[in-house]
Amino acid sequence: MTIRPIIRYPDRRLAMPARPVTAFDDGLRELAADLLDTMRAAPGIGITAPHIGVPLRLVVLELDAREGPLTYVNPIIEWTSPEMILHREGSVSMPGVNDEVQRHARVRISYQDLDGNVRSEETDGLRAVCHQHEIDQLDGMFWIQRLSRLKRERLVKKFEKMARNA
């Protein structure tokens, strides 16, 4: 298990759709373990393989220490509720900035586990927000694209200023 370098916005790789995982082997398990270590070190509550420059559809979440980490391979959103919620979001690839994003209140996803078994899950609240946020990233949509142009430009300027002063 290794902490890997996280690519930073505006790296082009964050805008590229990730490829489906086809090999459910020790390499995939090692990548998932590295993602977990990298996410914890960032710190964050969710991370995708594209965040570390690996263009595969793999997500690791850790929203609750008691429940532990959750791994999703090839996740897709199957259903979204008509109800919407606002939730403050950020990214390990753009640390130090966040804003409220409108998301569906509930979602149902299908995915595979690390052994390739097909599963589905219906969630609400923070987990539903995280599923949408991370699946967007797998599809090449960075979270700030969900904001108005004015808010997005403000956040980018703030991030650039923070990076210059670091």
Side-chain angles (χ1 to χ4, degrees), residues 64-128:
D64 181 340
R66 289 171 290 150
E67 186 176 25
L70 305 166
T71 304
Y72 301 90
V73 183
N74 299 325
I76 58 167
I77 295 174
E78 293 186 330
W79 171 85
T80 58
S81 69
E83 304 86 34
M84 304 296 283
I85 58 173
L86 280 175
H87 198 277
R88 191 159 287 279
E89 297 183 27
S91 174
V92 295
S93 288
M94 195 180 206
V97 298
N98 56 66
D99 209 329
E100 288 199 331
V101 177
Q102 188 171 20
R103 299 280 187 181
H104 296 277
R106 295 187 324 278
V107 298
R108 183 172 49 250
I109 65 165
S110 64
Y111 64 98
Q112 291 168 280
D113 63 21
L114 288 171
D115 295 318
N117 300 308
V118 175
R119 309 224 181 255
S120 73
E121 184 175 302
E122 190 167 319
T123 58
D124 60 10
L126 178 59
R127 189 179 294 184

